[in-house]
Coordinates of all heavy atoms in Angstrom, one line a residue:
M15 N 0.9 -1.1 0.1 CA 0.0 0.0 0.0 C 0.9 1.2 0.0 O 1.8 1.4 0.8 CB -0.9 0.0 1.2 CG -1.9 1.3 1.4 SD -2.5 1.4 3.0 CE -3.3 -0.2 3.2
K16 N 0.6 2.1 -0.9 CA 1.4 3.4 -1.0 C 0.7 4.5 -0.3 O -0.6 4.6 -0.4 CB 1.6 3.7 -2.4 CG 2.6 2.7 -3.3 CD 2.7 3.3 -4.7 CE 3.6 2.5 -5.5 NZ 3.2 1.0 -5.7
L17 N 1.5 5.3 0.5 CA 1.0 6.4 1.1 C 1.9 7.6 0.9 O 3.0 7.4 0.6 CB 0.9 6.1 2.6 CG 0.1 5.0 3.0 CD1 1.0 3.8 3.3 CD2 -0.7 5.2 4.2
L18 N 1.5 8.8 1.4 CA 2.2 10.0 1.3 C 2.3 10.7 2.7 O 1.3 10.7 3.3 CB 1.7 11.0 0.3 CG 2.0 10.6 -1.2 CD1 1.3 11.5 -2.0 CD2 3.5 10.7 -1.4
L19 N 3.4 11.1 3.1 CA 3.7 11.8 4.3 C 4.0 13.2 3.9 O 4.9 13.4 3.0 CB 4.8 11.3 5.2 CG 5.4 12.2 6.3 CD1 4.4 12.5 7.3 CD2 6.7 11.6 6.9
C20 N 3.3 14.2 4.4 CA 3.6 15.6 4.0 C 4.5 16.2 5.3 O 4.1 16.1 6.5 CB 2.4 16.6 3.9 SG 2.8 18.3 3.7
L21 N 5.8 16.5 4.9 CA 6.7 17.0 5.9 C 6.3 18.3 6.4 O 6.9 18.9 7.4 CB 8.2 16.9 5.4 CG 8.6 15.5 5.0 CD1 10.0 15.5 4.3 CD2 8.7 14.7 6.3
N22 N 5.4 19.0 5.7 CA 5.0 20.4 6.2 C 3.9 20.3 7.1 O 4.0 21.0 8.1 CB 4.5 21.2 4.9 CG 4.3 22.7 5.3 OD1 5.1 23.3 5.7 ND2 3.1 23.0 5.0
C23 N 2.9 19.5 6.9 CA 1.6 19.4 7.9 C 1.7 18.1 8.6 O 0.7 18.0 9.4 CB 0.5 19.8 7.1 SG 0.0 18.5 5.8
N24 N 2.6 17.2 8.3 CA 2.5 15.8 8.9 C 1.3 15.0 8.6 O 1.2 13.9 9.3 CB 2.6 16.1 10.5 CG 4.1 16.6 10.8 OD1 5.1 16.3 10.3 ND2 4.1 17.4 11.9
D25 N 0.5 15.3 7.8 CA -0.6 14.4 7.3 C 0.0 13.2 6.6 O 1.0 13.3 5.9 CB -1.5 15.0 6.3 CG -2.5 15.9 6.8 OD1 -2.5 16.1 8.0 OD2 -3.5 16.4 6.1
V26 N -0.5 12.0 6.9 CA -0.3 10.8 6.2 C -1.4 10.3 5.6 O -2.5 10.3 6.3 CB 0.3 9.6 7.1 CG1 0.4 8.4 6.4 CG2 1.6 10.2 7.8
F27 N -1.5 10.1 4.3 CA -2.8 9.6 3.7 C -2.4 8.5 2.6 O -1.4 8.5 1.9 CB -3.5 10.7 3.1 CG -2.7 11.6 2.1 CD1 -3.0 11.4 0.7 CD2 -1.9 12.5 2.5 CE1 -2.3 12.3 -0.1 CE2 -1.3 13.4 1.5 CZ -1.4 13.2 0.3
S28 N -3.4 7.6 2.4 CA -3.3 6.6 1.4 C -3.7 7.2 0.0 O -4.3 8.3 0.0 CB -4.2 5.4 1.7 OG -5.6 5.9 1.7
L29 N -3.3 6.5 -1.0 CA -3.7 7.0 -2.3 C -4.9 6.3 -2.9 O -5.3 5.2 -2.5 CB -2.5 6.9 -3.4 CG -1.1 7.6 -3.0 CD1 -0.2 7.4 -4.0 CD2 -1.4 9.0 -2.6
S30 N -5.6 6.9 -3.9 CA -6.6 6.3 -4.6 C -6.5 6.6 -6.1 O -5.5 7.3 -6.4 CB -8.0 6.7 -4.0 OG -8.3 8.0 -4.4
S31 N -7.5 6.3 -6.9 CA -7.3 6.6 -8.3 C -7.8 8.1 -8.5 O -7.6 8.7 -9.6 CB -8.4 5.7 -9.1 OG -9.6 6.0 -8.6
Q32 N -8.3 8.7 -7.5 CA -8.7 10.1 -7.4 C -7.5 10.9 -6.9 O -6.8 10.4 -5.8 CB -9.9 10.5 -6.6 CG -11.1 9.8 -7.0 CD -11.6 10.2 -8.3 OE1 -11.7 11.4 -8.7 NE2 -12.1 9.2 -9.2
L33 N -7.1 12.1 -7.3 CA -6.1 12.9 -6.8 C -6.4 13.2 -5.3 O -7.6 13.7 -5.1 CB -5.8 14.2 -7.7 CG -4.8 15.1 -7.1 CD1 -3.4 14.4 -7.3 CD2 -4.8 16.4 -7.9
K34 N -5.5 13.0 -4.4 CA -5.7 13.3 -3.0 C -4.6 14.2 -2.6 O -3.5 14.2 -3.1 CB -5.7 12.1 -2.1 CG -7.0 11.2 -2.4 CD -6.8 9.8 -1.7 CE -7.1 10.0 -0.2 NZ -7.2 8.6 0.4
K35 N -5.0 15.2 -1.7 CA -4.0 16.2 -1.1 C -4.0 16.1 0.4 O -5.0 15.7 1.0 CB -4.4 17.6 -1.5 CG -4.5 17.9 -3.0 CD -4.9 19.4 -3.2 CE -5.1 19.7 -4.6 NZ -5.6 21.0 -4.8
C36 N -2.9 16.5 1.0 CA -2.7 16.8 2.4 C -3.6 18.1 2.8 O -4.1 18.8 2.0 CB -1.3 16.8 2.8 SG -0.5 18.3 2.1
S37 N -3.7 18.3 4.1 CA -4.4 19.3 4.6 C -3.9 20.9 4.2 O -4.6 21.6 3.8 CB -4.3 19.5 6.3 OG -5.0 18.3 6.7
C38 N -2.5 20.8 4.0 CA -1.9 22.2 3.6 C -1.8 22.4 2.1 O -1.6 23.4 1.6 CB -0.5 22.4 4.3 SG 0.9 21.5 3.4
G39 N -2.1 21.2 1.4 CA -2.1 21.2 0.0 C -0.8 21.1 -0.8 O -0.7 21.3 -2.0
K40 N 0.2 21.1 0.0 CA 1.7 21.0 -0.6 C 1.9 19.6 -1.1 O 3.0 19.5 -1.9 CB 2.7 21.6 0.3 CG 2.6 22.9 0.7 CD 3.7 23.3 1.4 CE 3.8 24.9 1.6 NZ 5.0 25.4 2.4
T41 N 1.3 18.6 -0.7 CA 1.6 17.3 -1.0 C 0.4 16.5 -1.7 O -0.7 16.7 -1.2 CB 2.1 16.4 0.1 OG1 3.3 16.9 0.7 CG2 2.3 14.8 -0.2
K42 N 0.5 16.1 -2.9 CA -0.6 15.3 -3.5 C -0.1 14.1 -4.5 O 1.1 14.0 -4.7 CB -1.3 16.3 -4.5 CG -0.4 17.2 -5.3 CD -1.3 18.2 -6.0 CE -0.9 19.6 -5.5 NZ -1.6 20.7 -6.3
G43 N -1.1 13.3 -4.6 CA -0.7 12.1 -5.4 C -1.9 11.2 -5.8 O -3.0 11.4 -5.1
Q44 N -1.8 10.3 -6.6 CA -2.8 9.4 -7.0 C -2.3 8.1 -7.7 O -1.1 8.1 -8.3 CB -3.8 10.0 -7.9 CG -3.3 10.3 -9.2 CD -4.4 11.0 -10.1 OE1 -4.3 12.3 -10.3 NE2 -5.4 10.3 -10.5
Y45 N -3.0 7.0 -7.6 CA -2.6 5.9 -8.4 C -3.1 6.1 -9.9 O -4.1 6.7 -10.2 CB -3.5 4.6 -7.9 CG -2.8 3.9 -6.7 CD1 -3.3 4.0 -5.4 CD2 -1.8 3.1 -6.9 CE1 -2.7 3.3 -4.4 CE2 -1.1 2.3 -5.9 CZ -1.6 2.5 -4.6 OH -1.1 1.9 -3.6
M46 N -2.2 5.5 -10.8 CA -2.5 5.6 -12.2 C -3.1 4.3 -12.6 O -4.0 4.2 -13.6 CB -1.4 5.9 -13.0 CG -0.6 7.1 -12.5 SD -1.5 8.6 -12.4 CE -1.9 8.9 -14.2
D47 N -2.9 3.2 -12.0 CA -3.4 1.9 -12.1 C -3.2 1.1 -10.8 O -3.0 1.8 -9.8 CB -2.9 1.1 -13.3 CG -1.4 1.0 -13.2 OD1 -0.8 0.8 -12.1 OD2 -0.6 1.1 -14.2
N48 N -3.4 -0.1 -10.8 CA -3.3 -1.0 -9.5 C -1.9 -0.9 -8.9 O -1.7 -1.1 -7.6 CB -3.7 -2.5 -9.7 CG -5.1 -2.5 -9.9 OD1 -5.9 -1.6 -9.6 ND2 -5.5 -3.7 -10.6
I49 N -0.8 -0.5 -9.6 CA 0.5 -0.6 -9.0 C 1.2 0.7 -9.1 O 1.9 1.1 -8.2 CB 1.4 -1.7 -9.9 CG1 0.7 -3.0 -9.6 CG2 2.8 -1.6 -9.5 CD1 1.4 -4.2 -10.5
N50 N 1.1 1.4 -10.3 CA 1.8 2.7 -10.5 C 1.1 3.9 -9.9 O -0.2 4.0 -10.2 CB 2.0 2.9 -12.0 CG 2.8 1.7 -12.6 OD1 4.0 1.6 -12.3 ND2 2.2 0.7 -13.3
A51 N 1.9 4.8 -9.3 CA 1.3 6.0 -8.7 C 2.3 7.1 -8.9 O 3.5 6.9 -9.2 CB 1.1 6.0 -7.3
I52 N 1.7 8.3 -9.0 CA 2.5 9.5 -9.1 C 2.3 10.5 -7.8 O 1.2 10.4 -7.2 CB 2.3 10.3 -10.4 CG1 0.8 10.7 -10.4 CG2 2.8 9.5 -11.6 CD1 0.5 11.6 -11.5
Y53 N 3.3 11.3 -7.5 CA 3.0 12.3 -6.5 C 3.8 13.4 -6.8 O 4.7 13.5 -7.6 CB 3.4 11.7 -5.1 CG 5.0 11.4 -4.9 CD1 5.7 12.3 -4.2 CD2 5.4 10.3 -5.4 CE1 7.0 12.1 -4.0 CE2 6.8 10.0 -5.3 CZ 7.7 10.9 -4.4 OH 8.9 10.7 -4.3
E54 N 3.4 14.6 -6.0 CA 4.2 15.9 -6.2 C 4.2 16.6 -5.0 O 3.4 16.5 -4.1 CB 3.7 16.7 -7.4 CG 2.1 17.0 -7.3 CD 1.6 17.7 -8.5 OE1 2.1 18.8 -8.8 OE2 0.9 17.1 -9.3
G55 N 5.2 17.5 -4.9 CA 5.3 18.4 -3.8 C 6.6 18.3 -3.1 O 7.1 17.2 -2.9
E56 N 7.3 19.5 -2.7 CA 8.6 19.5 -2.2 C 8.7 18.9 -0.8 O 9.7 18.5 -0.4 CB 9.3 20.9 -2.4 CG 8.5 21.9 -1.5 CD 9.1 23.4 -1.8 OE1 9.5 23.6 -2.8 OE2 9.2 24.0 -0.7
S57 N 7.4 18.9 -0.2 CA 7.5 18.3 1.3 C 6.9 16.9 1.2 O 6.6 16.3 2.2 CB 6.4 19.1 2.1 OG 6.8 20.5 2.1
A58 N 6.7 16.3 0.0 CA 6.2 14.9 -0.1 C 7.1 13.9 0.3 O 8.3 13.9 -0.3 CB 5.5 14.8 -1.4
L59 N 6.8 12.9 1.0 CA 7.8 11.8 1.3 C 6.9 10.4 1.1 O 5.9 10.3 1.7 CB 8.3 11.7 2.6 CG 9.4 10.7 2.9 CD1 10.7 11.4 3.3 CD2 9.1 9.6 3.8
P60 N 7.3 9.7 0.2 CA 6.5 8.3 -0.1 C 6.8 7.4 0.9 O 7.9 7.0 1.2 CB 7.0 7.9 -1.5 CG 8.5 8.6 -1.6 CD 8.5 9.7 -0.7
L61 N 5.7 6.7 1.4 CA 5.8 5.7 2.4 C 5.0 4.4 1.7 O 4.2 4.5 0.9 CB 5.0 6.2 3.5 CG 5.5 7.3 4.4 CD1 4.6 7.5 5.6 CD2 6.9 7.1 4.9
G62 N 5.4 3.2 2.2 CA 4.9 1.9 1.9 C 4.4 1.3 3.2 O 5.1 1.4 4.2
I63 N 3.4 0.5 3.3 CA 3.1 -0.4 4.3 C 2.9 -1.8 3.7 O 2.3 -1.9 2.6 CB 1.7 0.0 4.8 CG1 1.8 1.3 5.8 CG2 1.1 -1.2 5.8 CD1 0.5 1.8 6.4
S64 N 3.5 -2.7 4.3 CA 3.4 -4.2 3.8 C 2.0 -4.6 4.0 O 1.5 -4.7 5.2 CB 4.4 -5.1 4.6 OG 4.0 -6.3 4.5
N65 N 1.3 -4.9 2.9 CA -0.1 -5.4 3.1 C -0.3 -6.6 3.9 O -1.2 -6.7 4.7 CB -0.7 -5.7 1.6 CG -0.8 -4.3 0.8 OD1 -1.1 -3.2 1.4 ND2 -0.7 -4.3 -0.6
T66 N 0.6 -7.5 3.6 CA 0.5 -8.7 4.4 C 0.7 -8.6 5.8 O 0.0 -9.2 6.7 CB 1.5 -10.0 4.0 OG1 2.8 -9.4 4.0 CG2 1.2 -10.3 2.5
S67 N 1.7 -7.7 6.3 CA 1.9 -7.4 7.7 C 0.7 -6.7 8.4 O 0.3 -6.9 9.5 CB 3.2 -6.8 7.9 OG 3.2 -5.4 7.6
L68 N 0.2 -5.7 7.5 CA -1.0 -5.0 8.0 C -2.3 -6.0 8.2 O -2.9 -5.8 9.3 CB -1.4 -3.9 7.1 CG -2.6 -3.0 7.4 CD1 -2.5 -2.3 8.8 CD2 -2.9 -2.0 6.3
K69 N -2.4 -6.8 7.3 CA -3.5 -7.8 7.5 C -3.4 -8.7 8.7 O -4.4 -8.8 9.4 CB -3.6 -8.7 6.2 CG -4.8 -9.6 6.2 CD -4.8 -10.5 5.0 CE -5.9 -11.4 4.9 NZ -6.0 -12.2 3.7
D70 N -2.1 -9.1 9.0 CA -1.8 -9.9 10.1 C -2.0 -9.1 11.5 O -2.6 -9.6 12.4 CB -0.3 -10.4 10.1 CG 0.1 -11.2 11.1 OD1 -0.5 -12.3 11.4 OD2 0.9 -10.6 12.0
A71 N -1.6 -7.8 11.3 CA -1.9 -7.0 12.5 C -3.3 -6.6 12.8 O -3.8 -6.7 14.0 CB -1.1 -5.6 12.4
V72 N -4.0 -6.5 11.8 CA -5.5 -6.3 11.9 C -6.3 -7.6 12.5 O -7.1 -7.5 13.4 CB -6.2 -5.9 10.6 CG1 -7.7 -6.0 10.6 CG2 -5.7 -4.6 10.2
L73 N -5.9 -8.7 12.0 CA -6.4 -9.9 12.4 C -6.1 -10.3 13.8 O -6.8 -11.1 14.5 CB -6.1 -11.2 11.5 CG -6.7 -11.0 10.0 CD1 -6.0 -12.2 9.1 CD2 -8.2 -11.2 10.2
N74 N -4.9 -9.8 14.3 CA -4.3 -10.2 15.6 C -4.4 -8.9 16.4 O -3.5 -8.8 17.4 CB -2.9 -10.7 15.4 CG -3.1 -12.2 14.7 OD1 -3.5 -13.1 15.3 ND2 -2.6 -12.1 13.4
Q75 N -5.3 -8.0 16.3 CA -5.3 -6.8 17.2 C -5.5 -7.2 18.6 O -6.5 -7.9 18.9 CB -6.4 -6.0 16.7 CG -6.6 -4.7 17.7 CD -7.8 -3.8 17.3 OE1 -8.8 -4.4 16.7 NE2 -7.8 -2.6 17.7
P76 N -4.6 -6.7 19.5 CA -4.7 -7.3 20.9 C -5.9 -6.5 21.6 O -6.4 -5.4 21.1 CB -3.4 -6.9 21.5 CG -2.7 -6.0 20.6 CD -3.4 -6.1 19.3
D77 N -6.4 -7.1 22.7 CA -7.5 -6.5 23.4 C -6.9 -5.4 24.4 O -7.5 -4.4 24.6 CB -8.2 -7.5 24.3 CG -9.1 -8.4 23.3 OD1 -9.5 -8.0 22.4 OD2 -9.2 -9.6 23.8
R78 N -5.6 -5.6 24.8 CA -5.0 -4.6 25.7 C -3.5 -4.8 25.7 O -3.0 -5.7 25.0 CB -5.5 -4.8 27.1 CG -5.1 -6.2 27.7 CD -6.0 -6.5 29.1 NE -7.3 -6.4 28.9 CZ -8.1 -7.5 28.4 NH1 -7.5 -8.6 28.1 NH2 -9.4 -7.4 28.3
G79 N -2.8 -4.0 26.3 CA -1.3 -4.2 26.3 C -0.8 -3.4 25.1 O -1.2 -2.4 24.6
M80 N 0.4 -3.9 24.7 CA 1.1 -3.4 23.4 C 0.3 -3.6 22.2 O -0.4 -4.7 22.1 CB 2.5 -4.0 23.2 CG 3.4 -3.7 24.4 SD 3.8 -1.9 24.7 CE 4.9 -1.8 23.3
G81 N 0.3 -2.7 21.3 CA -0.3 -2.8 20.0 C 0.4 -3.9 19.1 O 1.6 -4.3 19.4
K82 N -0.2 -4.4 18.1 CA 0.4 -5.4 17.2 C 1.1 -4.5 16.1 O 0.5 -3.7 15.3 CB -0.6 -6.2 16.5 CG -0.1 -7.3 15.6 CD 0.8 -8.3 16.2 CE 1.1 -9.4 15.1 NZ 2.3 -10.1 15.6
E83 N 2.5 -4.8 16.0 CA 3.2 -4.0 14.9 C 3.0 -4.5 13.6 O 2.6 -5.7 13.4 CB 4.6 -4.2 15.3 CG 5.1 -3.5 16.5 CD 6.5 -3.5 17.0 OE1 7.2 -4.4 16.3 OE2 7.1 -2.9 17.8
F84 N 3.2 -3.6 12.6 CA 3.2 -4.1 11.2 C 4.4 -3.2 10.5 O 4.9 -2.4 11.2 CB 1.9 -3.8 10.6 CG 1.4 -2.4 10.6 CD1 1.7 -1.5 9.6 CD2 0.6 -1.8 11.7 CE1 1.2 -0.1 9.6 CE2 0.2 -0.6 11.7 CZ 0.5 0.3 10.7
I85 N 4.7 -3.6 9.3 CA 5.9 -3.1 8.6 C 5.5 -1.8 7.8 O 4.6 -2.0 6.9 CB 6.6 -4.2 7.7 CG1 6.9 -5.3 8.6 CG2 7.7 -3.5 6.9 CD1 7.3 -6.5 7.8
A86 N 6.0 -0.7 8.0 CA 6.0 0.5 7.2 C 7.4 0.9 6.9 O 8.3 0.6 7.6 CB 5.3 1.5 8.0
F87 N 7.6 1.5 5.7 CA 8.8 1.9 5.2 C 8.8 3.1 4.4 O 7.8 3.4 3.8 CB 9.5 0.7 4.5 CG 8.7 0.1 3.4 CD1 8.7 0.4 2.2 CD2 7.5 -0.9 3.7 CE1 7.9 0.0 1.2 CE2 6.8 -1.3 2.8 CZ 6.9 -1.1 1.4
T88 N 10.0 3.7 4.2 CA 10.1 4.9 3.3 C 10.4 4.3 1.9 O 11.3 3.3 1.9 CB 11.3 5.9 3.6 OG1 12.5 5.1 3.8 CG2 10.9 6.6 4.9
I89 N 9.7 4.8 0.9 CA 10.0 4.4 -0.5 C 11.2 5.0 -1.1 O 11.3 6.3 -0.8 CB 8.6 4.4 -1.3 CG1 7.6 3.5 -0.8 CG2 9.0 4.3 -2.7 CD1 6.3 3.7 -1.4
P90 N 12.1 4.4 -1.8 CA 13.2 5.1 -2.4 C 12.8 6.3 -3.2 O 11.8 6.2 -3.9 CB 14.0 4.0 -3.0 CG 13.5 2.7 -2.5 CD 12.1 3.0 -2.1
R91 N 13.7 7.2 -3.3 CA 13.4 8.5 -4.1 C 13.2 8.0 -5.6 O 12.5 8.5 -6.3 CB 14.6 9.4 -4.0 CG 14.7 10.1 -2.6 CD 15.7 11.1 -2.7 NE 15.8 11.8 -1.4 CZ 16.6 11.2 -0.3 NH1 17.4 10.2 -0.6 NH2 16.6 11.7 0.9
D92 N 14.1 6.8 -6.0 CA 14.0 6.5 -7.4 C 13.2 5.0 -7.2 O 13.9 4.1 -7.0 CB 15.4 6.2 -7.8 CG 15.4 5.8 -9.3 OD1 14.4 5.7 -9.9 OD2 16.5 5.6 -9.8
C93 N 12.0 5.2 -7.5 CA 11.2 4.0 -7.5 C 10.3 4.0 -8.8 O 9.5 5.0 -9.1 CB 10.3 4.1 -6.2 SG 9.0 2.8 -6.2
P94 N 10.4 2.9 -9.6 CA 9.8 2.9 -10.9 C 8.2 2.9 -10.8 O 7.5 3.3 -11.8 CB 10.4 1.6 -11.7 CG 10.9 0.8 -10.4 CD 11.3 1.7 -9.4
T95 N 7.6 2.4 -9.7 CA 6.1 2.3 -9.5 C 5.6 3.5 -8.7 O 4.4 3.6 -8.5 CB 5.7 1.2 -8.8 OG1 6.2 1.0 -7.7 CG2 6.2 -0.1 -9.8
F96 N 6.4 4.5 -8.2 CA 6.0 5.6 -7.5 C 6.9 6.6 -7.9 O 8.0 7.0 -7.3 CB 6.0 5.4 -5.9 CG 5.0 6.1 -5.1 CD1 4.1 7.0 -5.5 CD2 5.1 6.0 -3.7 CE1 3.4 7.7 -4.9 CE2 4.2 6.7 -3.0 CZ 3.2 7.6 -3.5
I97 N 6.4 7.6 -8.8 CA 7.2 8.6 -9.4 C 6.8 10.0 -9.0 O 5.7 10.3 -9.0 CB 7.1 8.4 -11.1 CG1 7.8 7.0 -11.4 CG2 7.8 9.5 -11.7 CD1 7.6 6.7 -12.9
K98 N 7.9 10.7 -8.7 CA 7.6 12.1 -8.4 C 7.6 13.1 -9.6 O 8.6 13.0 -10.3 CB 8.8 12.6 -7.3 CG 8.5 14.1 -6.8 CD 9.6 14.3 -5.9 CE 9.2 15.6 -5.1 NZ 10.2 16.0 -4.1
K99 N 6.5 13.8 -9.7 CA 6.4 14.7 -10.7 C 7.1 15.9 -10.3 O 6.8 16.4 -9.2 CB 4.9 15.1 -11.1 CG 4.2 14.0 -11.8 CD 2.6 14.1 -11.8 CE 2.4 15.5 -12.6 NZ 0.9 15.8 -12.6
E100 N 7.9 16.5 -11.3 CA 8.6 17.8 -10.9 C 7.8 19.0 -11.4 O 6.9 18.9 -12.2 CB 10.0 17.7 -11.5 CG 10.8 16.6 -11.1 CD 11.2 16.6 -9.7 OE1 11.1 17.7 -9.0 OE2 11.5 15.6 -9.0
Ligands
ZN222 ZN1 0.7 19.2 3.9

């Protein structure tokens, strides 16, 4: 799952086929198909969440105590499926 973090307003949001923006409007992006996405903004930082680890964390949500961790990561600046528009 691809997401964007705006380093200006700290919003984190998932992408869809519709163009989405953060609260301050400096970061925006959208999926072009099921895999490829584009984003823009000098404050934009691309993030990924491992779908399988998120599904596991959802299915194993604890009733109390520590939360169930899942894998999130920064996507490289040079990524062929998540391209920054200049
Ligand atoms: Zn923002």
Side-chain angles (χ1 to χ4, degrees):
M15 177 192 304
K16 292 178 174 74
L17 305 99
L18 287 169
L19 164 65
C20 178
L21 297 172
N22 187 62
C23 69
N24 291 322
D25 276 8
V26 174
F27 57 100
S28 63
L29 299 185
S30 73
S31 60
Q32 305 289 317
L33 181 68
K34 291 170 78 173
K35 297 180 188 178
C36 65
S37 297
C38 77
K40 290 188 172 181
T41 295
K42 48 188 111 170
Q44 70 183 108
Y45 275 106
M46 306 310 290
D47 55 38
N48 287 340
I49 297 172
N50 298 290
I52 57 172
Y53 67 99
E54 59 185 287
E56 61 187 40
S57 301
L59 190 123
L61 299 177
I63 291 178
S64 160
N65 292 330
T66 53
S67 79
L68 178 59
K69 184 178 179 184
D70 180 65
V72 168
L73 292 174
N74 295 290
Q75 180 187 20
D77 291 328
R78 59 191 64 79
M80 298 294 290
K82 179 68 176 165
E83 294 180 343
F84 59 91
I85 299 170
F87 50 94
T88 55
I89 292 176
R91 292 180 185 89
D92 184 5
C93 173
T95 61
F96 203 4
I97 294 174
K98 185 173 188 176
K99 286 173 57 182
E100 299 299 336

